[in-house]
Amino acid sequence: MSHNDRGTGPNAQAGCYTAGMKWVSLVSVLALALATPAAGEGISPGFSMSIYTDEVPNARQMAEAESGILFVGTRRAGRLYAVVPSAEGAPEVVTFAKGLTMPSGLALFGEDLYVAALDRILRYPDIATNFRESPAPEVITDTLPDKYHHGWKYLSVGPDGYLYVPVGAPCNICKSTDERFASILRMDPRTGEATVYAHGVRNSVGLAWHPETNELWFTDNGRDMMGDDIPPEEVNRVTKAGAHYGYPHIHGTAILDPEYGEGHDPADYVPPEVEIQAHAAAIGMGFYTGELFGPDYSNALFIAEHGSWNRSSKVGYRVSVIRFAAGEPVYSPFVDVWLEGEKASGRPADVLMARDGTLLISDDQGGRIYRVTRTVP
């Protein structure tokens, strides 16, 4: 399995938390204390972070309904959660689906929840009103590639009303005869019919639409076994449907693959907008369009760096941000609290701007959702 987005499975089964439960075990109290950083430690100045819930084992992609209910996918847990806000304190967490195969990607489209689970795209109609009934999903398609290697997915609804879903390469480095591998697909949500929107995308688990240009941006994780610092993780932008982003021939801006790069010119492929430290595993991403963080974060792109596993010293395990100065991207850490030495207390998997303007971060190692807010204008 690739270093990129290699997760750790939950050590506990998901439960249903109710607002009436007043007891918290000593173990839980200690875990919360260890997981919550002191103010200012590893967090950008003027911001603070708290735990919204720690009852979502293996939490991956998130989507928020108008009601404030947060829907959360998983990878290894095979479950779907609804996190229901409560005026009395901690939110209620309801597990409304079990036994799915890597249902890591999800997106709300109107009143319906779409879920990407390995080779299937599922739809849960009117999910906000019936999630407590363990609803059976409709199958939009079950004909996607079913390879487990890089088979976990992300899901997004484009401005055109189509679903966009990446299909990772079924290997560390290879070339497949099925053009859907190592690509991003554009899919009709009614029929499941799909075409390739972007080629040469090794393993993307993060998609976001620029709020002004409506262009698709995506993360892509570089191959393994080329060393600690190459090739970089990528943040890419789609300006033309059907373009090729290099894999398996070119990595980053101009790194030729030792096995598949011969005879290929980097100029023939779309280079990344931003390169991130190799093995950081940049995955879930989202543009900030709220007002709470202030004008200096307008349209900033937040990225969950899931963290390395096969590097001589660990990198990632943080949330970074790309801000744009005079149109040029400027990359910097934003929340960097989960890695101390070689020990990681969490692995950020996704980011989401909540309707109240705060930033939510899912952690699939700790089974938590964090909330970041601005404390100083």
Side-chain angles (χ1 to χ4, degrees):
M1 182 178 292
S2 164
H3 75 277
N4 308 297
D5 187 25
R6 178 172 179 174
T8 54
N11 295 320
Q13 296 297 314
C16 178
Y17 179 92
T18 60
M21 294 174 65
K22 300 298 183 182
W23 59 270
V24 179
S25 70
L26 177 60
V27 172
S28 297
V29 171
L30 291 174
L32 285 171
L34 291 172
T36 307
E41 293 184 3
I43 302 177
S44 293
F47 293 88
S48 65
M49 187 171 75
S50 60
I51 294 176
Y52 181 48
T53 178
D54 66 343
E55 298 288 335
V56 282
N58 199 219
R60 296 285 293 196
Q61 191 175 1
M62 303 172 288
E64 187 186 28
E66 290 186 8
S67 63
I69 297 174
L70 187 68
F71 297 99
V72 185
T74 64
R75 179 178 148 191
R76 296 187 177 182
R79 298 182 173 206
L80 298 173
Y81 306 115
V83 182
V84 186
S86 170
E88 300 177 8
E92 176 190 10
V93 179
V94 177
T95 300
F96 67 89
K98 300 179 182 179
L100 300 175
T101 304
M102 296 195 294
S104 58
L106 48 76
L108 284 164
F109 188 19
E111 304 300 320
D112 302 340
L113 180 70
Y114 287 80
V115 176
L118 188 60
D119 59 342
R120 299 191 296 166
I121 302 295
L122 309 174
R123 178 171 57 212
Y124 292 83
D126 200 18
I127 188 62
T129 63
N130 65 17
F131 66 88
R132 296 183 185 277
E133 302 168 10
S134 298
E138 301 171 357
V139 178
I140 303 303
T141 183
D142 58 2
T143 61
L144 292 176
D146 60 358
K147 302 299 183 184
Y148 278 72
H149 198 118
H150 296 150
W152 50 95
K153 293 176 173 60
Y154 204 80
L155 196 59
S156 181
V157 178
D160 57 1
Y162 277 68
L163 299 176
Y164 288 77
V165 55
V167 178
C171 54
N172 173 37
I173 185 78
C174 63
K175 190 171 184 179
S176 175
T177 56
D178 186 340
E179 70 168 359
R180 295 176 301 172
F181 283 118
S183 78
I184 296 175
L185 302 180
R186 177 180 182 266
M187 180 179 294
D188 189 325
R190 297 161 297 180
T191 65
E193 295 181 2
T195 57
V196 175
Y197 187 68
H199 295 271
V201 181
R202 177 181 176 273
N203 180 31
S204 177
V205 201
L207 308 174
W209 298 88
H210 193 283
E212 293 181 351
T213 67
N214 283 338
E215 293 171 334
L216 178 64
W217 290 59
F218 63 90
T219 53
D220 192 13
N221 290 178
R223 64 159 289 179
D224 296 324
M225 311 309 172
M226 287 184 68
D228 273 0
D229 298 315
I230 59 172
E233 315 291 51
E234 301 179 8
V235 177
N236 292 282
R237 176 170 63 111
V238 179
T239 59
K240 180 181 179 181
H244 199 294
Y245 289 80
Y247 175 87
H249 312 295
I250 306 295
H251 308 291
T253 300
I255 300 173
L256 270 65
D257 186 81
E259 299 173 58
Y260 292 95
E262 184 177 356
H264 290 270
D265 185 350
D268 294 335
Y269 302 96
V270 181
E273 295 290 319
V274 176
E275 295 183 349
I276 295 175
Q277 167 65 48
H279 305 287
I283 54 173
M285 65 192 307
F287 285 99
Y288 187 83
T289 57
E291 298 180 356
L292 181 63
F293 283 15
D296 47 335
Y297 283 87
S298 177
N299 296 338
L301 181 60
F302 288 95
I303 301 169
E305 297 183 18
H306 198 228
S308 60
W309 71 273
N310 66 343
R311 194 175 182 275
S312 60
S313 59
K314 293 187 186 321
V315 292
Y317 303 93
R318 66 185 185 182
V319 170
S320 55
V321 63
I322 296 172
R323 291 187 282 179
F324 298 87
E328 293 299 317
V330 179
Y331 166 92
S332 62
F334 183 69
V335 178
D336 192 359
V337 301
W338 293 282
L339 183 62
E340 184 174 351
E342 292 299 297
K343 294 183 178 180
S345 60
R347 303 191 76 180
D350 193 26
V351 293
L352 176 70
M353 192 199 76
R355 293 179 181 273
D356 63 2
T358 60
L359 184 73
L360 300 178
I361 303 168
S362 64
D363 167 11
D364 69 347
Q365 174 177 302
R368 306 181 187 99
I369 304 293
Y370 292 89
R371 186 187 295 278
V372 179
T373 189
R374 187 147 202 176
T375 55
V376 178

